[in-house]
Amino acid sequence: MTGVTEEPVASRFVGGAEPVVPRRLRRTRGWRRRPGAVRDREQMSRRAKLGTYLVLAPVAILFVAPFVWMISASFQPMSTIFANPPTWVPDDPTIDGYKGFLNVGTLTESQESQGHGDWRWFANSAFVAITITVLQTFFNALCAYTFAKRKFPGRNVIFVLFLATMMVPGQITLIPNYIIVQHIPFFGGNDWMGMGGHGWLNSYWGLIMPGIVSAFGIFLLRQYMMSIPDALLDAARIDGASEFRIFWNVVLPLCLPALAANAIFTFQGAWEDFLWPLLITSGDPDKTTAPVGLALFVVQNKTDWNLLFAGSVIATLPMILVFLVFQRHFVRGIAVTGIKE
Amino acid sequence: MSTASAPRNVAAPDHERRPARPRESRGRRLGRRIWRERSAYLFLAPGMILFSVFTLAALIFAFYLTFHRWSIIEPDKPYVGTQNYEDMVHDERFVQAVLNTLYFTGASVPLTMLIGLGLALLLNQPLRGRALFRTAYYLPVVTPFVVSALLWKWLYNGDFGLFNYYLVKGHIIDQPLLWLSDKDLAMPAVVLMTVWSGVGFSMVIYLAGLQSIPHELYESAKLDGAGTFQRVRFVTIPLLRPTTLFLLVMGIIGSLQVFTQIFVMTSGGPVNRTTTMVYYMYLWAFKYYDMGYASTLAFALFAMLLVFTAFQLRLFRDGATS
C-alpha cells in the first residue's frame, strides 16, 4: 500500500481510498484499475510481467548452466564427462575427482603416474588471502585516518603522491617488483646487498607484502572518515585518549561498513589473483595458490578433467560463500565507492 | 603551546593562553610542529614504507629498465639509450597486440554494459524472484577468473565441448567449430567469456544507479504523456550518466589489461590473433627474459590508458551534472 502522493493519514480511511485486497482476490472479484487511474508502484500489467520473465529466465539459465555443469562434472568419472550427449545428472556420483585434486586417500593409478592436485594450494590461497585482507584493512585504515583527520607538515604532498599513483596500472610495477622481491636483503640466501639468493621468490613473503598497501583503498576509507565530526575526536583527546586509542575505539567502529567493503573486495582480489603468484611461485609448486595450480594443471598433465572440475568447485566455493554472507555489504560497498556524487 | 598536562591538539580557550613567546625561527617552528605530530608519521610509516618500495621505487625502476637491455640470466645489463622504444615502434607483433587489445576492449566493454543495463532495467520492476535472478547473474562475477576461463575452455572444446554439441543439435551450425583454434573465432570466443563474467557487475552497479533516481520524475514524465520507451530514453539514461561513465572507465582500464583469459584459454594463439598487450609483455619478460623491452611495452600500455581515461573524462564532463 504505497500511496504515490503524500496524503494525511486520516483520509485513507475515509471514502476514496481503496481497501487493501489480497492480490489473489482482486482478479476473482473483477477488480480492475479504472482506465486512466494512476497505477500504483506495486502493479505491473500481466503482459509486461510475462514479457519480463520471458527475457530474464532464459538469460538466467544461460548464466547458471555452466556452473551446474561444472558441479555435475566434478562428481563424474572421466568416461562420462566425455560422453555424448553430455551427462547433467551423474548416474553414480563419485568423489574421485576431489580425492585426486586434494591428494588425499588412495589415488587411481593414472593419477599417481600423471599428476594430481594438492590440498596445499588451497591452504596457501586461504592463508595469503586472509593475511593480505587483515593487514591491508588495518594499514589502509591507519593511513586513511591520518590523511583524513590529522594536520601535519607534508600531509598534502604525501597524499597527492598517493593519488597520482592510483592511475598507474599494476602491470607497470609487475616487472620491477619481481626484481625487487628477488633482491630483498637477508632473505632466501641473499646478502645485505640483496645478491646471491632468490630473496622472496617462492615464499609467502613475496606473495603477501606487495599486496598490503592499496592507494585505492586508502582513498575510499579517507573519503568515508572525512564525515566523522572532529568534535568527537577532540572530546576523546580531552578525555586523555592516546591517538591510537582514538583510532581504535572511536574511528574504526564508525567505519565498519567501509572497512567491510574494503575487506571483501580485497579478499576477492587476493583469492583470485593470478599473474603475480604465477610469476612468484613458478619455482616451487608447494607455495602455489589455487588459481595458479589449476591453470598449470591443464598445461602440465594430459588433463584429468574430473580432477580439474573438482578443483574448480573448491576454488569457487569460498567466493560464493563470501558473496552470500555479505550480499548487503556488496551493494553498500559499491555505494561507498561514491559513484553517486 | 599548552602546558604538559593539557591534551595535545586542542586549542586552549583564550583566557588560558599565555603571553606570546618571542618569535622563533621558521625552521624551529616547523621542527616543533613535526615533533608534536610525530604520532601521525608513525601511523603512516608502515603503509608508506611498503608504498615507497613496491610502487614509487618500482615506478622509477621500471622507467630505468626501459633504457637498458636487462636480462635476469645475463650478468651485464648494458645501457642502450632509446633502442627499446625504437624497436617497439617497428615491432609488428606489438602493433598486432595493440590492435588485438583494442578489438577486445571495443567488443567486450559495450556489450557488457548494454546487457547489464538491459537486465537492470528489467529487474528494477516489482517482480517476484528478483533476488534469485540477481544472484544468478552475479554468480559468474564471484567465480575466480581462472575457473571461468578453464570452464569455458572446456565448453568451447572442438570434440566434446557443450557448445558444439548443442549448436549442432539445434541445427544452428552444420559441423563442430574449433572455437579457440580458429583464427577468426578465437577472439570473439574470449570476448564472449569475458562478457559472461562481467555482466553481473555492471548490472548491480546500474541497479544501484536506478534506485537513486527519484520516482517523482517518472510520475511527471507520465503525466506529460511519455510512454515507457520515452521514459527510459529521456529520464533513466540521462540520469544514469555518472554510472555509465564509471563503468566505462573501469571497464576500459580493466580490459586493456586483459591477461588471465588469454593465458588460460588460447596462450595468445592461433597465429598471435589473441596476443594482447599484457600477454605480449609477459612473453618478453618471462619467456625471452628481456625485462627492459617488457618494461617499455608496459609504458606503452600506460600511455594508452592515460589517453583513454583523459578522453572519456572530457567526453562526459559536458552536461554530466545531474
Side-chain angles (χ1 to χ4, degrees), chain A residues 27-272:
Chain A
R27 251 172 256 128
T28 54
R29 289 216 207 141
W31 277 57
R32 300 293 302 274
R33 202 164 44 84
R34 287 193 309 280
V38 178
R39 211 183 267 163
D40 83 3
R41 232 183 288 184
E42 294 302 315
Q43 282 185 13
M44 272 174 75
S45 77
R46 254 190 291 174
R47 214 176 41 185
K49 242 186 197 154
L50 190 69
T52 306
Y53 279 125
L54 273 180
V55 177
L56 287 179
V59 179
I61 288 172
L62 281 179
F63 269 67
V64 178
F67 275 96
V68 177
W69 163 254
M70 177 171 85
I71 292 165
S72 155
S74 68
F75 289 107
Q76 295 175 24
M78 281 282 274
S79 53
T80 58
I81 290 184
F82 291 98
N84 227 337
T87 323
W88 286 92
V89 181
D91 293 338
D92 70 58
T94 159
I95 54 166
D96 276 356
Y98 289 90
K99 275 186 184 161
F101 202 87
L102 293 176
N103 193 10
V104 290
T106 47
L107 305 182
T108 61
E109 255 178 59
S110 68
Q111 283 165 12
E112 284 288 8
S113 61
Q114 58 162 277
H116 45 73
D118 201 327
W119 61 267
R120 267 206 208 88
W121 296 345
F122 296 103
N124 291 342
S125 263
F127 172 67
V128 168
I130 289 171
T131 312
I132 286 183
T133 305
V134 171
L135 290 178
Q136 200 206 90
T137 309
F138 180 67
F139 286 141
N140 276 359
L142 265 179
C143 288
Y145 165 68
T146 317
F147 283 132
K149 289 293 171 195
R150 300 290 302 270
K151 294 181 182 59
F152 53 93
R155 178 181 79 168
N156 295 344
V157 178
I158 300 175
F159 189 64
V160 166
L161 206 64
F162 256 101
L163 282 192
T165 56
M166 248 170 72
M167 282 296 301
V168 180
Q171 269 70 15
I172 288 222
T173 50
L174 196 78
I175 293 164
N177 273 345
Y178 181 87
I179 300 172
I180 290 172
V181 160
Q182 190 184 6
H183 293 296
I184 297 281
F186 305 122
F187 280 89
N190 281 344
D191 56 17
W192 68 275
M193 284 287 288
M195 290 300 178
H198 55 78
W200 279 349
L201 296 183
N202 304 322
S203 76
Y204 293 122
W205 291 99
L207 285 170
I208 291 167
M209 291 309 252
I212 287 182
V213 171
S214 127
F216 189 64
I218 290 175
F219 178 72
L220 289 188
L221 286 173
R222 175 182 168 271
Q223 292 299 85
Y224 199 85
M225 289 178 183
M226 296 286 251
S227 63
I228 297 175
D230 283 341
L232 198 65
L233 308 183
D234 287 341
R237 285 194 185 105
I238 288 169
D239 289 344
S242 68
E243 281 302 327
F244 187 77
R245 179 97 191 255
I246 293 173
F247 166 75
W248 190 254
N249 289 358
V250 180
V251 177
L252 282 194
L254 289 172
C255 293
L256 279 182
L259 290 174
N262 187 19
I264 292 165
F265 292 135
T266 306
F267 180 80
Q268 275 199 301
W271 180 268
E272 65 173 9

Side-chain angles (χ1 to χ4, degrees), chain B residues 252-273:
Chain B
I252 288 185
I253 289 176
S255 62
L256 285 178
Q257 301 182 47
V258 54
F259 173 81
T260 307
Q261 304 95 305
I262 306 292
F263 181 93
V264 172
M265 288 166 81
T266 66
S267 308
V271 285
N272 292 330
R273 288 302 276 276

Side-chain angles (χ1 to χ4, degrees), chain B residues 80-318:
Chain B
V80 293
T82 55
Q83 187 64 47
N84 281 327
Y85 290 91
E86 286 161 35
D87 287 351
M88 185 172 74
V89 178
H90 299 297
D91 183 352
E92 279 178 20
R93 280 176 74 196
F94 167 70
V95 176
Q96 168 94 52
V98 172
L99 291 176
N100 287 338
T101 309
L102 289 176
Y103 172 23
F104 174 86
T105 304
S108 67
V109 174
L111 263 178
T112 307
M113 284 171 65
L114 277 173
I115 300 174
L117 176 61
L119 292 176
L121 285 173
L122 288 175
L123 274 183
N124 199 30
Q125 305 178 87
L127 287 171
R128 270 185 247 181
R130 258 164 56 173
L132 199 70
F133 281 121
R134 219 179 30 214
T135 309
Y137 301 135
Y138 205 77
L139 269 184
V141 184
V142 294
T143 315
F145 227 63
V146 175
V147 171
S148 305
L150 286 168
L151 186 58
W152 279 67
K153 189 179 182 176
W154 169 268
L155 296 177
Y156 281 136
N157 187 300
D159 302 322
F160 28 70
L162 300 193
F163 270 140
N164 279 340
Y165 174 78
Y166 284 111
L167 289 175
V168 171
K169 199 174 167 195
H171 299 294
I172 296 166
I173 52 176
D174 304 334
Q175 71 246 30
L177 294 169
L178 294 167
W179 289 89
L180 294 175
S181 38
D182 180 309
K183 65 179 173 48
D184 296 321
L185 274 179
M187 193 53 116
V190 175
V191 168
L192 197 61
M193 175 253 147
T194 310
V195 169
W196 177 79
S197 50
V199 160
F201 182 73
S202 61
M203 178 201 69
V204 166
I205 304 268
Y206 268 131
L207 268 175
L210 285 170
Q211 312 269 307
S212 69
I213 297 177
H215 205 261
E216 291 74 23
L217 289 174
Y218 289 113
E219 297 300 329
S220 55
K222 215 179 275 191
L223 288 177
D224 291 342
T228 311
F229 176 77
Q230 284 172 309
R231 283 203 297 273
V232 171
R233 166 76 185 74
F234 292 107
V235 179
T236 314
I237 291 182
L239 283 174
L240 284 178
R241 217 183 160 113
T243 315
T244 304
L245 175 67
F246 171 81
L247 281 172
L248 196 66
V249 173
M250 296 289 276
I252 288 185
I253 289 176
S255 62
L256 285 178
Q257 301 182 47
V258 54
F259 173 81
T260 307
Q261 304 95 305
I262 306 292
F263 181 93
V264 172
M265 288 166 81
T266 66
S267 308
V271 285
N272 292 330
R273 288 302 276 276
T274 56
T275 301
T276 57
M277 290 175 77
V278 174
Y279 189 78
Y280 193 48
M281 183 190 97
Y282 165 83
L283 283 183
W284 273 101
F286 299 98
K287 287 281 179 289
Y288 317 140
Y289 296 121
D290 189 340
M291 297 290 180
Y293 190 55
S295 268
T296 316
L297 296 173
F299 269 94
L301 176 78
F302 186 29
M304 255 173 79
L305 280 173
L306 278 180
V307 170
F308 264 100
T309 312
F311 180 70
Q312 287 166 57
L313 290 176
R314 169 147 305 182
L315 190 79
F316 271 80
R317 194 175 301 152
D318 47 340

